[in-house]
């Protein structure tokens, strides 16, 4: 059995599971496979593929060109980039793993604090021999707007309250009573964007939610406000965001996710003013990788034994 573990950018996947116990030929791929031809060439002999989140999509076309593939394991229990219907039709079992909820909210607050207190700029100044160039903002008494109050958004909201912030919440199907029970105020979408000092996005990506933060929503925000996205890149209209940043209609943006990943070296976000950019680190922690890779190996073992676990398609 040949197993391909994809997108192991940091060369660490081998540390987080007992792959040798599977008695298989395990290959860790460290470079992203960008195009379909690259994917097909690299995985032509793979019986099992372990995919990291949505880094490498598996639409019908790719699955159909991988006739040896019998098991596809995705980290997490939802992966919009895998065509589950096509997998079923082609006889490919798809399994998932659990996903810890703490890592992404923690990074979200790292981005918020970095933006409001100008930490990256001041840290760079210190290394250059400089001293105090900026005046940071405050969180206590300010307004946090949470777009999407699911598992992650709720944790971000709780931390906002701990900082002494007033927390507003909006989503298309928000339950007002649940929002209030979490210490947040359910409001209309425009009110949230207009009132918030920080807007943070925690929404599930779907065809319906793509661009949920667009030019109109950005126009509602005040020039002193910040936008943070640690959810999925396409939720925010990148072109509109870059324009707003260059025109000074936003104080800044903290981004961990992008329309295209890895982010191209010449992408306009890399030179946009007022940004703190991280390379999709939301889930990249020791604890998360222990769950992801440990349960991925468990899924391979269970499938090989004829009793697959956490089945998404099969």
């Amino acid at each position: 059995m040949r197993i391909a573990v994809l997108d192991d950018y940091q060369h660490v996947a081998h540390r987080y599971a007992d792959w040798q116990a599977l008695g298989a030929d395990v290959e860790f791929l460290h470079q992203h496979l960008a195009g379909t031809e690259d994917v097909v060439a690299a995985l032509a002999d793979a019986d099992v593929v372990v995919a990291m989140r949505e880094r490498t999509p598996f639409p019908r076309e790719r699955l159909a060109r991988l006739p040896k593939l019998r098991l596809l394991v995705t980290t997490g229990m939802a992966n919009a980039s895998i065509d589950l219907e096509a997998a079923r039709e082609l006889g490919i079992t798809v399994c998932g793993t659990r996903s810890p909820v703490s890592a992404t909210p923690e990074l979200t607050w790292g981005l918020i604090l970095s933006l409001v207190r100008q930490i990256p700029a001041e840290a760079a100044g210190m290394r250059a021999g400089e001293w105090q160039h900026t005046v940071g903002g405050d969180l206590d008494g300010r307004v946090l707007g949470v777009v999407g109050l699911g598992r992650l958004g709720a944790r971000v909201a709780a931390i906002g309250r701990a900082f002494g912030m007033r927390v507003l919440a909006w989503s298309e199907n928000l339950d007002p009573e649940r929002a209030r029970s979490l210490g947040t105020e359910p409001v209309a979408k425009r009110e949230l964007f207009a009132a918030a000092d920080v807007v943070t996005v925690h929404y599930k990506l779907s065809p319906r939610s793509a661009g949920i933060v667009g030019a109109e929503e950005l126009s509602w925000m005040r020039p002193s406000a910040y936008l943070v996205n640690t959810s999925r890149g396409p939720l925010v209209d990148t072109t509109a965001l870059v324009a707003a940043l260059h025109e000074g209609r936003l104080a800044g943006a903290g981004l961990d996710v992008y329309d295209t990943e890895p982010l191209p070296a010449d992408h306009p976000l890399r030179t946009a003013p007022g940004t703190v950019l991280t390379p999709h680190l939301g889930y990249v922690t020791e604890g998360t990788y222990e769950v992801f890779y440990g349960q991925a190996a468990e899924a391979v073992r269970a499938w090989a034994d004829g009793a697959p676990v956490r089945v998404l398609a099969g």
Side-chain angles (χ1 to χ4, degrees), residues 23-195:
D25 176 14
V26 184
E27 180 182 7
F28 301 96
L29 285 77
H30 308 302
Q31 300 298 318
H32 180 62
L33 304 173
T36 295
E37 296 305 321
D38 292 334
V39 170
V40 171
L43 305 181
D45 295 325
D47 304 288
V48 177
V49 169
V50 176
M52 176 57 76
R53 308 297 291 168
E54 291 93 359
R55 286 178 180 174
T56 303
F58 286 93
R60 179 180 294 272
E61 177 192 3
R62 290 186 180 182
L63 293 173
R65 294 181 62 184
L66 297 171
K68 289 196 66 177
L69 181 62
R70 299 272 59 88
L71 174 66
L72 176 57
V73 181
T74 175
T75 55
M77 288 299 290
N79 190 329
S81 70
I82 297 175
D83 188 331
L84 296 179
E85 181 179 352
R88 290 188 191 96
E89 293 176 5
L90 294 166
I92 300 168
T93 300
V94 182
C95 296
T97 74
R98 301 301 175 195
S99 183
V101 299
S102 59
T104 298
E106 290 171 1
L107 182 73
T108 298
W109 280 100
L111 290 174
I112 293 172
L113 290 168
S114 293
L115 287 165
V116 173
R117 297 302 296 271
Q118 306 288 329
I119 293 173
E122 291 291 5
M126 287 291 289
R127 292 185 182 278
E130 301 169 359
W131 189 259
Q132 284 193 5
H133 287 283
T134 65
V135 178
D138 299 282
L139 295 178
D140 185 33
R142 300 305 194 267
V143 178
L144 176 69
V146 181
V147 177
L149 200 62
R151 293 192 311 160
L152 304 186
R155 290 180 74 99
V156 170
I159 298 169
R161 291 177 59 214
F163 274 114
M165 301 185 78
R166 175 188 172 204
V167 183
L168 310 181
W170 173 87
S171 69
E172 287 188 340
N173 300 304
L174 184 66
D175 180 346
E177 290 306 312
R178 177 177 178 274
R180 294 187 186 97
S181 74
L182 294 171
T184 71
E185 302 174 37
V187 296
K189 187 179 187 182
R190 181 163 187 159
E191 181 180 350
L192 183 146
F193 279 85

Side-chain angles (χ1 to χ4, degrees), residues 50 96 220 244 275 303 313:
V50 176
W220 297 337
T275 55
W303 170 80

Side-chain angles (χ1 to χ4, degrees), residues 217-278:
E217 288 77 10
L218 294 172
S219 74
W220 297 337
M221 297 177 68
R222 290 174 287 114
S224 59
Y226 298 93
L227 176 72
V228 174
N229 185 12
T230 57
S231 189
R232 291 294 183 270
L235 292 168
V236 176
D237 183 330
T238 299
T239 300
L241 175 60
V242 170
L245 290 167
H246 278 290
E247 294 166 12
R249 292 186 281 110
L250 283 182
L255 305 175
D256 186 49
V257 289
Y258 310 92
D259 296 345
T260 301
E261 297 183 4
L263 189 68
D266 60 350
H267 195 282
L269 276 173
R270 291 187 183 267
T271 54
T275 55
V276 177
L277 309 177
T278 51

